[in-house]
Amino acid sequence: ELLRLFFFFYFKTLTREITINSAMLKYLNGEKNTATAPNENYGRELQELFTVGKDEFGNPPYTEDDVKAAAKALTGWKNDLVGGTTSANGFNSYFEPTRHDTTDKVFSAFYGNTIITGQSGTNGANELDDLLNMIFLKDEVALNIVRRLYRFFVYYDIDATTETNVIVPLAQIFRTNNYDIVPV
C-alpha cells in the first residue's frame, strides 16, 4: 500500500516513508535500534540497496563508519505492531526520544565529512531528514536508481555508451526534478 501511495511522488519522499514504515522497522530491526544498541541493518540497506548502491566492482563508496553513524541517526523509531499484525495500515510508526542517540554523527569523506548534530527530545526525529538530505546530495543516488530503472524496463546490461548517453542524462533529469520519478 505504501508503494502504491508514494510511487509517483518524489523518490526521496518514498525513501523517507519506507524508512519509518512499521513493516520496514520490523523487517530490518529498526524497532530494535536504540541509543544503547544501535542496529546497523537498515542504515546499511538504506545506503547499499535503496540509495547510493555499490560501484561496478561491488564495493560501496561509503564506509563501515558511515553505516554505524547512519544507524545512530535512525535510533528511536518504533512501530505499532501488536501481536504480529499492524494496527491501521502499517504506517503508524512513532519516534521515542528516550531511545534516540543524541551524540553527533560523523560521516566519511564520501559524504564530505558531514556531521549530523545530535538532537534530543522530539527534535531527535529531525536527524532522519538530515541523514536523507546528506545522502541525496550524492550523485550516486540518482545514477544507482536510474540504472535500476533502465535494467528493469529496458535491458539488463549497461555498457559504457549506454552509461554516457542514457544513464548520466537521465540521472541529471532525476536530480534537477528533485528526485521526481515521473520525468525520468
Side-chain angles (χ1 to χ4, degrees):
E1 187 172 338
L2 182 140
L3 294 174
R4 287 185 187 120
L5 285 173
F6 288 98
F7 178 75
F8 285 112
F9 282 82
Y10 298 101
F11 183 75
K12 186 176 175 183
T13 303
L14 175 64
T15 303
R16 186 184 196 289
E17 292 301 316
I18 286 175
T19 299
I20 60 172
N21 179 268
S22 290
M24 185 60 75
L25 288 168
K26 175 141 181 76
Y27 181 67
L28 286 176
N29 306 113
E31 85 280 2
K32 296 177 183 175
N33 190 11
T34 66
T36 57
N39 187 299
E40 299 169 14
N41 285 352
Y42 189 76
R44 181 178 316 285
E45 302 306 344
L46 173 63
Q47 295 172 84
E48 182 176 320
L49 297 179
F50 304 147
T51 58
V52 176
K54 294 181 175 183
D55 67 17
E56 63 272 15
F57 305 108
N59 300 311
Y62 52 87
T63 68
E64 197 61 29
D65 287 338
D66 292 334
V67 170
K68 292 175 182 176
K72 290 179 182 181
L74 295 168
T75 57
W77 288 94
K78 292 185 74 173
N79 64 40
D80 65 348
L81 295 175
V82 179
T85 60
T86 59
S87 59
N89 59 13
F91 302 128
N92 297 327
S93 60
Y94 60 96
F95 184 76
E96 177 57 54
T98 61
R99 296 167 44 107
H100 180 64
D101 183 318
T102 60
T103 63
D104 290 350
K105 288 73 177 177
V106 180
F107 291 85
S108 71
F110 174 71
Y111 289 116
N113 299 308
T114 297
I115 297 173
I116 294 178
T117 303
Q119 299 182 46
S120 59
T122 57
N123 289 335
N126 297 330
E127 291 185 34
L128 166 59
D129 293 320
D130 294 341
L131 176 65
L132 292 177
N133 289 338
M134 177 193 72
I135 290 171
F136 276 82
L137 285 175
K138 300 307 296 176
D139 291 343
E140 285 82 351
V141 175
L143 292 166
N144 181 41
I145 300 307
V146 168
R147 285 183 195 114
R148 287 171 178 248
L149 290 169
Y150 184 88
R151 284 185 177 114
F152 185 82
F153 289 108
V154 181
Y155 193 62
Y156 69 93
D157 188 32
I158 298 174
D159 60 18
T161 302
T162 303
E163 181 75 18
T164 301
N165 297 330
V166 179
I167 302 301
V168 172
L170 284 176
Q172 182 61 39
I173 290 169
F174 199 27
R175 280 191 305 277
T176 57
N177 285 280
N178 201 24
Y179 289 91
D180 186 354
I181 294 172
V182 174
V184 175

